[in-house]
Amino acid sequence: MGVPRWGAVVGLAVERGGLAVERWLEAERDQLVLWLPVMLGGGIALWFALPDPAAWGVAMLLLAASGLACLALGHGGRAVRSLAIGLLTAALGLSLIWARSESVARPVLGGPTIASFSAKVEAIEPLVARKLVRLTVLPVGKGVETDGQPVALPYRIRVNLAEADAPKLLGTGAVVHLRARLMPPPLPAVPGAYDFARVAWFGGIGATGRGFAPVVVTTPSESGAGIRVALSHHIVSQLDGSAGGIAAALATGDVGAISEEDSEAMRRAGLAHLLSVSGLHITAAVAATMLIVLRLLALSPWLALHARLPLIAALAGAAAAIGYTLLTGSQVPTIRSCVAALLVLAALAMGREAMTLRLVAAGAACVMLVLPESAAGPSFQLSFAAITAIMALHEHPVIRAFFGPHDEGRGRKLARGIASLLLTGLLVEFALMPIAVYHFHKAGLYGAFANIVAIPLTTFVVMPLEALALLLDAGGLGAPIWWLVQRSLDALLWLAHIVASAPGSVRSLPAMPTAAFALMIVGGIWIALWRTRWRRLGLVPLAVGAIWALTTPAPDVLVTGDGRHVAVRTAAGLAMLRDRAGDYTRDMLAENGGVDGEPLLLADQPDARCSRDLCVTDIAGRGRMWRILATRSAYMVPIAELVAACSNADAVVSERGLPKRCVPRWLKLDRRVLRRTGGVSLTLGSGMVVTVLNAGDRHPWRDPPLLERSTHSLKPRHGPPVGVSSRPRPSKIEMFTRRRKGAKVVRFGRPQHLPER
């Protein structure tokens, strides 16, 4: 009574909508639990996306309050309970990663320095292909600079040594004295590049550098380099070239002995997953252990009649999985695979179906609860995306019916198996493509076909032969088997190079927007986890994100954070300012510029005019030509010449501080500005400016506590304890414009539209 007609209509529609949602969730009740790790990861992703502690606190409180409100105000039903649990789980994920970031907090080296110090060796990683040995060390006491002043050192340091400089007594637990050039963990050189500073923060690494001879072992190691390093050395010594590195990677996860050429071929061919110890390797180790234990125990008639041999074999397989995980360094894919293997063995012991999406969800939740930061890394994302796609495909009723057991001949059974492997490979390539493009700016096209040969070759030929060779080496009889391992790995490398060199084997794309990547991930998860027709709605965000990523133009100018290296998109392709850039810098700029191959030299381009000190080029964008001026050397240019060149340029880039009289028409990026912005990318056609450092970004690796260069010569800034200070908070980018009516200052931190000329 007294309710308007429109109110009654709306109320009826809401009631019918609620009933429809309840019926849908009732049909999907078995799938609801799969969303728990998704919401946990969503909370972790929200922490990375929001800028500062105030935003993190507000988001966590809003999520928790919304979840509790759903429980308090809801009228029962599965929808309200599911929403409440999801929101509370997201709040848990945000709080986990926040707490983790605080628990690993360590001061970071304040600036480059050369110091002598003593340290305890925590880990050793041979990089045979680069003729280096990578040490992770824990400094003991303070260091001493070249001028004799003491210098505070961070808690953990990563140092590269030349193989010839590494002493023979070097091992885990040894105390060494060395001299090294150290620097803080670097930020991404340009927007979209690898963020080592974030990885180093969660790893407790406060400095990286290069050590110099002599390296003196003051306290020898009691355990040597460890079984992992010893086993890798033994395997590499038995095989030639990168075959030894691949064999070591299969056994211990150590990829340091694989040459860069062969490693790149494996990546381009879609075979790089074979080099990361994951599900394939754990499965082979568990299966081999269970088979051997079961056969040996079955030789005893009494045990065969009175003991549950499959259960004993499963326990042995679990021990093998845990031991193999520890041996290979406990990387994220290995931990995920180990957890999955343990759950499979537990399910088999209880007589339950083992290989399900619930297994994948449990593994993902376990990893994120212990290492929440891993959810932001490519290893976690690639690993779980692949296994989720495989499980979702083979749980579909149509696929299960077609590829399930059939009463047919061997020929048809083999054809059905090959078709299943090909379909699975194509789906995995499609599922991994957005992740590969977002993190590595490349996507392989022929990986599914290469894996049809590579996976059986690795699983049924290489790994059994390698295990047999290691077993026979105990008696010095493994040489003939190692010869077979060499031939099989040579065949694998030949396949990788053939596929990698095929036309169109790799598609390179520039850095995609994070929002586009998030849309594709949400769409893919929605399709994979639901079972009713509503799963098709996931095609909408998936398609929107894919179109957004594909239509994102490549940047026209890339500037590294130190201002030394500039890449400009010319008519002939991406060209670099300096010809003496290292391989890493060239590859990094090419990848982030969406180029597959070696970048050109700007001085060789017809639309550029370069001297030894300056380079000028014109770029078409937004219907006009933009003139870019960059310095090529540290030598001073006559002030009159420099001022005239600046006034005729739209943008000026330099690694050094430019005089105030150098006023370009639009943008000035010199040392003072780049110190606040980090690397910069400019897209002139769409008018976008993106920087590495964002105003207000207070993530701990962006604003870490810094160790002063010297605890005696420098005073602490803004009141922190002696030897520790905070990095100055990034301020506004000073984008200088001509002093005319309508001139603007563009703030950094998000893409901006360029001002009209």
Side-chain angles (χ1 to χ4, degrees), residues 71-418:
L71 293 177
L73 302 178
H75 300 289
R78 184 171 276 110
V80 174
R81 292 197 302 272
S82 300
L83 183 60
I85 294 173
L87 291 172
L88 293 175
T89 305
L92 174 63
L94 196 154
S95 62
L96 279 175
I97 184 62
W98 192 356
R100 171 71 175 168
S101 69
E102 295 294 334
S103 67
V104 299
R106 302 282 184 180
V108 174
L109 192 67
T113 186
I114 298 178
S116 299
F117 59 95
S118 296
K120 183 179 180 180
V121 178
E122 184 181 39
I124 302 175
E125 183 182 357
L127 305 177
V128 180
R130 297 167 56 187
K131 297 183 178 180
L132 296 174
V133 177
R134 177 171 293 165
L135 303 181
T136 303
V137 299
L138 305 176
V140 179
K142 293 184 174 64
V144 179
E145 294 185 309
T146 53
D147 58 0
Q149 291 291 335
V151 58
L153 296 175
Y155 171 74
R156 182 178 284 115
I157 298 176
R158 200 176 75 175
V159 179
N160 289 339
L161 294 176
E163 283 184 345
D165 297 339
K168 294 182 179 179
L169 298 178
L170 190 64
T172 305
V175 177
V176 297
H177 185 81
L178 71 159
R179 190 170 66 96
R181 185 184 187 277
L182 303 175
M183 63 181 297
L187 296 169
V190 295
Y194 178 61
D195 192 352
F196 179 73
R198 186 189 71 195
V199 177
W201 175 263
F202 287 103
I205 299 174
T208 62
R210 180 67 180 264
F212 310 115
V215 179
V216 180
V217 178
T218 57
T219 304
S221 170
E222 297 180 357
S223 60
I227 186 174
R228 182 188 182 200
V229 175
L231 184 58
S232 297
H233 274 303
H234 175 74
I235 294 173
V236 171
S237 66
Q238 301 296 320
L239 301 171
D240 298 329
S242 294
I246 296 176
L250 295 176
T252 66
D254 185 358
V255 298
I258 306 175
S259 68
E260 184 58 34
E261 179 183 0
D262 292 330
S263 181
E264 178 66 17
M266 295 286 286
R267 286 193 294 267
R268 293 173 67 91
L271 304 179
H273 65 94
L274 299 176
L275 306 178
S276 174
V277 178
S278 56
L280 175 65
H281 311 79
I282 293 289
T283 302
V286 171
T289 302
M290 291 183 64
L291 179 63
I292 293 173
V293 171
L294 192 62
R295 295 299 185 188
L296 290 177
L297 294 179
L299 296 177
S300 172
W302 187 89
L303 286 175
L305 293 175
H306 296 86
R308 292 185 60 186
L309 298 188
L311 180 59
I312 298 175
L315 292 175
I322 295 173
Y324 193 26
T325 301
L326 296 175
L327 173 65
T328 55
S330 302
Q331 302 297 322
V332 171
T334 319
I335 295 174
R336 187 268 304 168
S337 302
C338 180
V339 171
L342 296 178
L343 292 175
V344 168
L345 293 173
L348 292 175
M350 294 186 297
R352 301 288 298 273
E353 184 179 0
M355 299 303 295
T356 64
L357 278 174
R358 293 195 176 199
L359 171 74
V360 181
C366 290
V367 174
M368 286 187 288
L369 287 173
V370 178
L371 299 172
E373 71 275 9
S374 63
S379 179
F380 178 93
Q381 296 170 10
L382 291 170
S383 179
F384 280 100
I387 191 63
T388 300
I390 293 172
M391 290 292 99
L393 173 68
H394 289 278
E395 283 188 1
H396 195 281
V398 175
I399 300 299
R400 177 175 292 187
F402 183 79
F403 292 115
H406 288 77
D407 187 11
E408 57 189 3
R410 292 184 178 180
R412 293 178 63 86
K413 185 177 294 185
L414 178 62
R416 198 181 297 273
I418 294 175

Side-chain angles (χ1 to χ4, degrees), residues 40 142 157 225 408 440 464 486 498 526 593 596 619 648 667 742:
L40 189 67
K142 293 184 174 64
I157 298 176
E408 57 189 3
F440 310 117
Q486 179 79 55
I498 289 295
W526 186 274
D596 180 26
I619 306 174
N648 291 324
L667 174 65

Side-chain angles (χ1 to χ4, degrees), residues 420-445:
S420 174
L421 188 60
L422 178 60
L423 179 61
T424 303
L426 288 174
L427 179 65
V428 169
E429 290 293 326
F430 181 76
L432 300 186
M433 193 172 294
I435 303 173
V437 172
Y438 180 76
H439 290 284
F440 310 117
H441 316 297
K442 289 182 180 180
L445 302 179

